[in-house]
């Protein structure tokens, strides 16, 4: 039997804009998905057919990398699905790691990240490598247009190239507020592309989000969490103008405002989750719960990315 494991992620700045090549910043979190795989007489996942829609990332990972006979998978995830926390990327990365371990191929994070991006692209359509690379890397991840210090790997697609870098983030308290509304990423990404193609104001919003990511990096470097929080709020408003907001996201962002440096939607939006930066995590969690959301306290993970063993 082989085992693969990978973390979920939180995008701190730059979702959607990163698909257009703008910079973005994410961190892996201490919630993980584990995938067990072993040879079997038929294809199964959690005792059921692998054909079920919820296993499409597992199926695509198998289709791209596995040349052996049928397998039985068991999937255990601590990451809520459709919640903006990278559950699809984590199951993809963990499956690829389990398949590598089973085939006695070394689990190299950069190689797994590239395969996982190809899987995500196949299943979801237009995407950037931020989710899959953050899950494979396991710590802070900065996406840039060009190669700088702390470079990890690059990923190319349709004449666009993303340069992935390790990002050192300070210790901080992040509280996630899940709306309980799940929204598929693919259609939201397609909707933003449509809007950007038609509306110069949307194209300008995408560029401004990229600028905000740069300012946030400087604010993190200066340990100025107040400035980081204000930039999160600006990023949230710009995502609203790109049409990926939801009244429940705004409600949760408003509810945590009195006890947080700042908050914004995280991930594809349209539902999913917000992330709040705060030094009062219990009060922030209580505010989210009182507003009808589900609160989680998460720690940015450090260097505990994809793993796989036989
Ligand atoms: C989703 O977690 C992040 C998006 O930017 C899509 C992507 O980068 O592939 C919305």
């Amino acid at each position: 039997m082989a085992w693969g494991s990978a973390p979920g992620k939180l995008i701190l700045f730059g979702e959607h804009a990163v698909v257009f090549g703008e910079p973005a910043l994410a961190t892996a979190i201490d919630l993980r998905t584990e995938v067990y795989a072993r040879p079997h007489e038929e294809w199964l996942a959690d005792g059921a057919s692998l054909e079920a829609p919820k296993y499409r990332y597992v199926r695509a990972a198998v289709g791209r990398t596995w040349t052996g006979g049928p397998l039985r998978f068991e999937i255990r995830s601590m990451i809520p699905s459709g919640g903006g926390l990278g559950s699809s990327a984590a199951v993809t990365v963990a499956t690829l790691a389990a398949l590598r371990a089973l085939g006695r191929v070394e689990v190299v994070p950069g190689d797994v990240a590239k395969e996982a991006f190809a899987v995500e692209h196949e299943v979801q359509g237009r995407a950037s490598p931020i989710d899959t690379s953050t899950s494979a890397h396991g710590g802070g991840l900065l996406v840039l247009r060009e190669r700088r210090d702390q470079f990890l790997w690059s990923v190319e697609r349709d004449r666009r190239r993303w340069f992935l870098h390790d990002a050192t983030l300070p210790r901080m308290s992040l509280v996630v507020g899940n709306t309980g509304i799940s929204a598929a990423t693919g259609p939201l990404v397609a909707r933003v592309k449509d809007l950007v193609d038609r509306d110069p104001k949307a194209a300008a919003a995408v560029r401004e989000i990229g600028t905000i990511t740069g300012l946030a990096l400087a604010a993190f470097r200066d340990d100025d969490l107040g400035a980081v929080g204000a930039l999160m709020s600006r990023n949230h408003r710009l995502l609203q103008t790109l049409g990926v907001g939801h009244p429940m996201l705004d409600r949760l962002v408003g509810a945590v405002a009195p006890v947080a440096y700042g908050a914004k939607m995280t991930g594809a939006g349209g539902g999913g989750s917000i992330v709040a930066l705060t030094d009062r995590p219990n009060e922030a969690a209580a505010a989210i719960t009182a507003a009808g959301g589900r609160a989680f306290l998460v720690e940015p993970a450090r260097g505990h990315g994809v793993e796989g063993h036989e």
Side-chain angles (χ1 to χ4, degrees):
M1 185 173 72
W3 163 86
S5 167
K9 65 90 200 25
L10 263 183
I11 298 183
L12 298 173
F13 289 95
E15 52 272 270
H16 286 289
V18 67
V19 181
F20 296 84
E22 293 295 332
L25 182 65
T27 177
I29 54 174
D30 57 344
L31 297 176
R32 301 183 72 90
T33 297
E34 301 198 326
V35 174
Y36 299 83
R38 68 158 73 169
H40 195 63
E41 63 268 17
E42 56 178 325
W43 290 101
L44 287 180
D46 300 326
S49 167
L50 191 63
E51 292 306 310
K54 68 176 183 173
Y55 299 118
R56 59 199 191 281
Y57 290 91
V58 176
R59 265 199 321 276
V62 166
R64 279 192 168 262
T65 64
W66 184 249
T67 51
L71 302 172
R72 177 190 178 120
F73 294 97
E74 297 293 330
I75 299 157
R76 301 282 168 265
S77 187
M78 299 161 75
I79 310 166
S81 73
L85 304 182
S87 61
S88 310
V91 78
T92 304
V93 170
T95 302
L96 289 165
L99 293 172
R100 278 179 170 247
L102 207 54
R104 305 223 163 110
V105 180
E106 196 187 342
V107 179
V108 179
D111 295 349
V112 174
K114 287 174 200 182
E115 285 169 3
F117 175 62
V119 167
E120 190 177 73
H121 210 282
E122 179 184 325
V123 175
Q124 169 190 304
R126 205 174 137 79
S128 85
I130 193 167
D131 293 7
T132 38
S133 280
T134 304
S135 181
H137 174 53
L141 187 101
L142 174 64
V143 190
L144 294 172
R145 280 180 203 282
E146 66 281 311
R147 183 179 170 141
R148 298 241 192 98
D149 290 351
Q150 297 182 271
F151 172 73
L152 294 168
W153 53 74
S154 69
V155 175
E156 223 172 316
R157 178 96 203 184
D158 302 333
R159 282 175 284 128
R160 177 156 283 136
R161 193 154 173 206
W162 293 269
F163 292 82
L164 294 306
H165 298 76
D166 177 52
T168 312
L169 293 168
R171 287 215 175 275
M172 58 183 147
S173 254
L174 296 169
V175 179
V176 172
N178 186 233
T179 59
I181 302 156
S182 84
T185 301
L188 287 158
V189 170
R191 193 195 300 169
V192 172
K193 161 113 176 66
D194 252 27
L195 189 66
V196 166
D197 286 348
R198 276 186 289 114
D199 181 356
K201 276 205 229 99
V206 162
R207 287 194 298 274
E208 193 179 338
I209 290 174
T211 306
I212 285 177
T213 300
L215 295 171
L217 281 172
F220 271 126
R221 239 175 270 129
D222 296 345
D223 227 356
D224 187 350
L225 295 186
V228 173
L231 290 163
M232 288 171 86
S233 306
R234 250 172 85 189
N235 194 160
H236 181 76
R237 284 194 294 276
L238 288 163
L239 286 165
Q240 287 172 322
T241 68
L242 291 178
V244 295
H246 188 283
M248 189 60 185
L249 288 167
D250 299 342
R251 188 180 154 98
L252 298 187
V253 164
V256 287
V259 290
Y261 294 108
K264 61 181 271 294
M265 66 182 91
T266 184
S273 301
I274 66 148
V275 55
L277 175 65
T278 177
D279 52 13
R280 294 155 72 182
N282 294 330
E283 287 166 74
I288 288 166
T289 310
R294 277 176 63 210
F296 308 78
L297 275 55
V298 293
E299 290 270 324
R302 271 157 205 269
H304 225 25
V306 61
E307 291 173 37
H309 301 290
E310 241 202 306

